[in-house]
Amino acid sequence: MTPAGPKYFPTAGHLLVCQGQSCQARGSRLLYQALWQALDREHLAYYKSGGRVRLTESGCLGACSYGPTVCVYREREGTLEQGWYAAMTFPKALALAHAVQAGRDLPAEHRYGPAEPLTP
Ligand code: FES
């Protein structure tokens, strides 16, 4: 008999909030905590009924002077889409999570970097 593996939670996308030193100095710790609570409260978090968004902390995302930095990855139309955001606020991060949950286009405000999906 094989032991049970970890439970897999299908998600609509994965948000990462930088917890590097520069982003923390710009409020990323509080941003992460507030976002976590909102995802839980609004049933957007993957572990809640109907929730489809995964949220984790990350190390430095390489935009230290423009934090708090957030990135998102999701599969959309068969490709891996990425979104990079600088100077994120709680309302903008929550709007990003709602877009991921609903499968809508990612918000353009505060977005930087490639707008095209990653191609294999
Ligand atoms: S510390 Fe956040 S991007 Fe570098």
Side-chain angles (χ1 to χ4, degrees):
M1 184 170 158
T2 57
K7 181 175 170 72
Y8 174 73
F9 295 91
T11 60
H14 187 179
L15 275 69
L16 299 103
V17 179
C18 179
Q19 295 302 313
Q21 200 170 19
S22 293
C23 283
Q24 281 204 353
R26 291 174 169 83
S28 70
R29 186 84 205 132
L30 189 58
L31 173 62
Y32 176 79
Q33 291 170 343
L35 191 55
W36 182 274
Q37 290 172 5
L39 296 188
D40 185 86
R41 186 177 57 247
E42 297 187 25
H43 281 250
L44 301 174
Y46 69 93
Y47 56 84
K48 299 289 265 196
S49 173
R52 304 176 64 213
V53 178
R54 185 179 293 271
L55 172 68
T56 60
E57 301 166 297
S58 83
C60 177
L61 295 172
C64 314
S65 299
Y66 304 93
T69 306
V70 173
C71 74
V72 59
Y73 288 98
R74 68 177 175 178
E75 185 178 337
R76 196 172 195 219
E77 299 169 4
T79 60
L80 183 62
E81 182 183 29
Q82 59 180 316
W84 294 82
Y85 291 87
M88 281 300 263
T89 62
F90 170 69
K92 292 186 188 335
L94 185 56
L96 175 60
H98 275 285
V100 170
Q101 169 79 15
R104 294 193 309 263
D105 290 346
L106 298 179
E109 199 174 9
H110 289 221
R111 189 172 178 179
Y112 70 98
E116 300 300 318
L118 298 173
T119 51

